[in-house]
Amino acid sequence: MKNVAIAMLLGSSSALFAGCSAGPTANPGSPGLPSAVDASGSPHELPIRRRGLRRGGAPWPIQNIVIIVQENRTVDNLFQFLPGANTQSWGYNHLHQVVQLQPQSLAAPYDVGHNHAHWLTEYDSGAMDGFDEDTCRGTCPPNPTYADVPQRQVQPYYTLAQTYAFADDTFETDQGPSFPSHQYLVSGTSTISDSSTSEASDNAFTQQGGLTGGCDSPAGSLVPVITAQGANGNPVYPCFQRRSLMNELDAAGITWKYYQRNLGAGLWNAPDAIYSIWSNSAEMAANVIYPPTQALTDIETGKLANVVWITPMDWYSDHPKNNDGAGPSWVAAVVNAIGKSQYWQHTAVFITWDDWGGFYDHVAPTIYTSYELGFRVPLIVVSPYAKPGYVSHVQHEFGSILKFAEETFGLPSMGTTDARADDLSDCFNFNQSPKAFRAVSAPFSRDYFFRYHKPPAELGD
């Protein structure tokens, strides 16, 4: 029935936008992908292909990769006071006047523009001085983009960054908001198909103007597209005939799960937009999990898959205007669960933010294409093999996380941005003795996220 549904939805988009590309066409007769291997066994019993031996003949120790995704922050905004990090407390406006960054709460009641057009305005052809010309909604202070978060409000992040490794030269690979960014975090691209160079460049919208995304989007939903030449292409239905790391994991018998804020369509719900994953109902039911707190239960009961993505509920997402300041405690709860579990000795945790959120950052990105790279986002690397207190000044991007996973499990490159990206190896020392875990203190405990449930707020973008 899903195959029929997607065909009807795609056909509806075509009719509404005659003459435009209406997205991928469903092919019910195409061969399906194998279902994921059951993840209920211990991590030592799963059939894992590692990238080889460490120096001295010791086996490759990483068997689980956890990718924690938070929302909408830059390095200058969130880690302004981290010792050794490349941060700057001021920036230029479009008149080339100096503007000092001002402290703003993590739960500040405003949101600044961060779609692709806003990115181009802020970047200003490399001058990095258009941040004052961005838009703002909510209760907006003067110069809302020039802001930094007080360290005391996000101390768990600082504790993790100073205990393990922090990569201050990590760039959002794309120049857009959440929907394409989450596609980059699973595929290394947001192309609309494997055979196309056109990419989804912004958030997807329903005909009524609401935010959506994925193969469960209402009929007539569209996502803007950018061509390889940098022009705006014909909008398409937000469901893609493109492979992802999940496909590669399936083919190799490596388990994965994706934890998210709701089932079905959504800007942050990356698997829902990959047709080959979405069309396999059994796989979606087994591997795409709601709510995110189930990740804590799975870790604690020995059911952690080999590769997992953990996305948040709005109120602990760090998304401006939508969150209540609980994000650092949420991340600490996930890391503490891993650290106290059987998985600690064999796990690498990558904590990143899906896009820059419109906030100021002083480092101009390398420009590879009309849509890559975006501005810097924070990246914390947590593992018993992470270099303690290390600040990496090596250029990384979202594809670096994917490449680490590919090398860990002996997977082929997807041939997207994972091919050019580094593998974050400078953040690790696999010859050091595994670092013993110490719990991360946080204002809210693990139990807080189970007993206090807010309904989804306005969906973050």
Side-chain angles (χ1 to χ4, degrees):
M1 291 299 292
K2 272 195 170 184
N3 290 347
V4 175
I6 190 68
M8 293 174 63
L9 291 171
L10 294 173
S12 176
S13 292
S14 299
L16 286 164
F17 294 84
C20 295
S21 170
T25 302
N27 180 8
S30 62
L33 292 163
S35 297
V37 177
D38 179 68
S40 61
S42 87
H44 308 290
E45 297 168 350
L46 295 170
I48 299 172
R49 294 188 297 173
R50 305 179 186 88
R51 60 175 156 181
L53 302 177
R54 289 183 287 158
R55 188 179 305 164
W60 182 250
I62 301 301
Q63 299 182 11
N64 297 88
I65 294 173
V66 177
I67 304 163
I68 302 174
V69 185
Q70 293 291 91
E71 292 288 312
N72 296 42
R73 299 289 165 173
T74 66
V75 174
D76 280 345
N77 171 260
L78 199 59
F79 285 90
Q80 180 64 224
F81 312 103
L82 184 69
N86 177 16
T87 60
Q88 183 172 292
S89 63
W90 57 271
Y92 290 112
N93 65 16
H94 76 285
L95 299 176
H96 212 65
Q97 299 166 328
V98 172
V99 180
Q100 294 291 330
L101 271 60
Q102 297 297 316
Q104 294 291 342
S105 170
L106 184 68
Y110 70 89
D111 187 20
V112 289
H114 51 279
N115 66 21
H116 187 233
H118 295 132
W119 189 94
L120 292 171
T121 296
E122 294 183 348
Y123 179 65
D124 191 17
S125 300
M128 303 289 284
D129 63 2
F131 289 82
D132 63 313
E133 296 189 294
D134 206 342
T135 60
C136 179
R137 60 188 176 93
T139 305
C140 301
N143 296 313
T145 61
Y146 298 85
D148 55 48
V149 178
Q151 179 176 342
R152 69 181 182 279
Q153 294 187 3
V154 292
Q155 186 56 50
Y157 291 152
Y158 277 77
T159 299
L160 288 165
Q162 292 179 284
T163 303
Y164 302 100
F166 181 79
D168 71 357
D169 211 30
T170 300
F171 293 83
E172 174 192 358
T173 299
D174 62 297
Q175 300 165 1
S178 285
F179 182 67
S181 294
H182 282 262
Q183 294 303 301
Y184 270 85
L185 283 162
V186 298
S187 292
T189 185
S190 64
T191 52
I192 61 177
S193 72
D194 282 330
S195 60
S196 176
T197 58
S198 294
E199 297 188 85
S201 59
D202 274 308
N203 288 329
F205 294 88
T206 67
Q207 286 183 303
Q208 292 73 36
L211 296 171
T212 190
C215 303
D216 282 308
S217 296
S221 298
L222 291 172
V223 63
V225 167
I226 190 170
T227 68
Q229 294 73 37
N232 292 325
N234 292 325
V236 302
Y237 186 74
C239 177
F240 308 126
Q241 297 278 10
R242 174 189 4 100
R243 63 182 167 175
S244 66
L245 185 64
M246 289 95 73
N247 298 115
E248 304 298 336
L249 294 166
D250 282 339
I254 308 299
T255 61
W256 65 271
K257 285 187 179 179
Y258 194 101
Y259 299 89
Q260 58 190 40
R261 69 185 294 282
N262 66 287
L263 299 179
L267 298 180
W268 307 346
N269 301 355
D272 197 81
I274 307 298
Y275 176 76
S276 57
I277 300 294
W278 172 86
S279 60
N280 186 331
S281 299
E283 178 166 44
M284 286 288 286
N287 293 342
V288 178
I289 309 298
Y290 161 86
T293 48
Q294 184 61 39
L296 299 177
T297 302
D298 285 350
I299 293 164
E300 292 161 358
T301 58
K303 297 179 181 178
L304 181 67
N306 295 122
V307 179
V308 304
W309 291 260
I310 303 175
T311 60
M313 298 295 289
D314 298 68
W315 51 279
Y316 51 80
S317 68
D318 295 345
H319 192 291
K321 198 174 182 288
N322 287 9
N323 85 89
D324 66 1
S329 294
W330 162 248
V331 172
V334 176
V335 173
N336 284 339
I338 294 168
K340 297 173 184 177
S341 75
Q342 62 181 304
Y343 298 103
W344 172 246
Q345 294 284 340
H346 304 284
T347 298
V349 180
F350 299 101
I351 305 161
T352 195
W353 283 255
D354 75 330
D355 66 58
W356 87 108
F359 288 111
Y360 178 77
D361 195 80
H362 77 282
V363 178
T366 300
I367 301 300
Y368 291 116
T369 71
S370 61
Y371 195 58
E372 302 166 1
L373 295 169
F375 296 132
R376 291 190 307 169
V377 292
L379 175 65
I380 307 172
V381 179
V382 177
S383 174
Y385 299 97
K387 293 179 180 177
Y390 174 68
V391 177
S392 170
H393 304 303
V394 175
Q395 180 174 295
H396 312 293
E397 58 178 291
F398 290 162
S400 302
I401 301 172
L402 300 177
K403 182 170 241 177
F404 183 89
E406 290 165 349
E407 293 182 349
T408 293
F409 299 115
L411 305 175
S413 171
M414 290 178 286
T416 61
T417 55
D418 61 328
R420 69 160 181 243
D422 79 307
D423 64 358
L424 289 160
S425 59
D426 73 299
C427 295
F428 294 90
N429 179 5
F430 289 105
N431 295 314
Q432 73 185 23
S433 298
K435 185 178 180 66
F437 181 73
R438 295 183 62 181
V440 180
S441 297
F444 302 108
S445 70
R446 162 207 182 278
D447 294 340
Y448 171 82
F449 298 97
F450 284 92
R451 69 173 179 263
Y452 177 48
H453 290 284
K454 283 190 175 182
E458 177 185 354
L459 181 63
D461 59 352

